[in-house]
Amino acid sequence: MPIFKPSQIAHSIQEIDGDALQGAGIKGIILDWTNTVALKNAESISDSMKAWLKNVQSRYGIKVIIVSNSKPPMHNHGQINEIPALFEAGKPKKKAFLTAMNMLGTRSNETAVIGNGIFTDLWGGNRLGMHTIFLSSSWMKPRFIGVVKRLFVKVLRV
């Protein structure tokens, strides 16, 4: 089903090439928090993630926002390391993505969504015509029943 098909797949965020994003006309990135920017239950971003984000922002001029369905980490409600953040966003609802694009000042065709959620990040981004990057790292272990359950809940919420 094309709505769940990503524009590209990466095994780590560091694998995503800023030159390629810039060449595709990407001016803004919507990043998922849990298991994309930070491991589950993490309160902060790793040094390698900080370096990648700094590079994308300073070298390529790409704006970044974190959009997550999870609760915010303690003490980090509206920003994470000077990056705007929307928590409890309600993805895959269009409103979450439209709010993020409004904050970034980008249009759908200028925005990439990077995340590990097929039914939240990919579906939500693809419905709006965004460039979607599925992050499929080796430390993520999908649980089939949990995925089906979350899909059922998400479909009912949309």
Side-chain angles (χ1 to χ4, degrees):
M1 189 176 254
I3 198 77
F4 296 114
K5 184 179 179 186
S7 306
Q8 72 184 84
I9 297 172
H11 297 290
S12 76
I13 200 111
Q14 286 77 19
E15 196 177 292
I16 300 169
D17 182 31
D19 287 324
L21 291 174
Q22 194 173 48
I26 301 302
K27 295 179 181 174
I29 297 174
I30 296 172
L31 280 169
D32 184 37
W33 173 254
T34 306
N35 292 332
T36 299
V37 173
L39 293 173
K40 188 174 183 175
N41 300 321
E43 292 292 323
S44 63
I45 299 173
S46 70
D47 290 340
S48 62
M49 177 59 72
K50 288 177 189 175
W52 185 86
L53 289 167
K54 182 178 180 180
N55 183 51
V56 164
Q57 292 173 308
S58 62
R59 182 173 177 191
Y60 299 102
I62 297 174
K63 297 175 188 172
V64 179
I65 188 169
I66 295 168
V67 179
S68 176
N69 287 345
S70 65
K71 293 184 184 293
M74 290 177 61
H75 314 298
N76 294 310
H77 297 285
Q79 282 196 333
I80 304 287
N81 290 79
E82 301 177 17
I83 297 170
L86 299 172
F87 286 94
E88 300 176 294
K91 296 182 295 181
K93 292 181 181 178
K94 291 180 181 179
K95 182 179 178 183
F97 296 96
L98 295 172
T99 300
M101 284 191 298
N102 185 48
M103 292 175 72
L104 291 169
T106 59
R107 298 181 305 234
S108 294
N109 64 334
E110 302 171 326
T111 309
V113 178
I114 302 174
N116 66 335
I118 295 170
F119 304 114
T120 53
D121 304 311
L122 295 183
W123 185 23
N126 283 340
R127 288 190 312 165
L128 291 168
M130 297 179 184
H131 183 87
T132 53
I133 302 172
F134 180 63
L135 199 61
S136 174
S137 57
S138 60
W139 48 264
M140 286 190 287
K141 296 179 181 169
R143 293 180 177 92
F144 181 75
I145 293 176
V147 169
V148 171
K149 181 180 174 184
R150 285 192 305 274
L151 171 63
F152 183 70
V153 169
K154 298 289 182 195
V155 168
L156 291 178
R157 284 182 26 194
V158 177

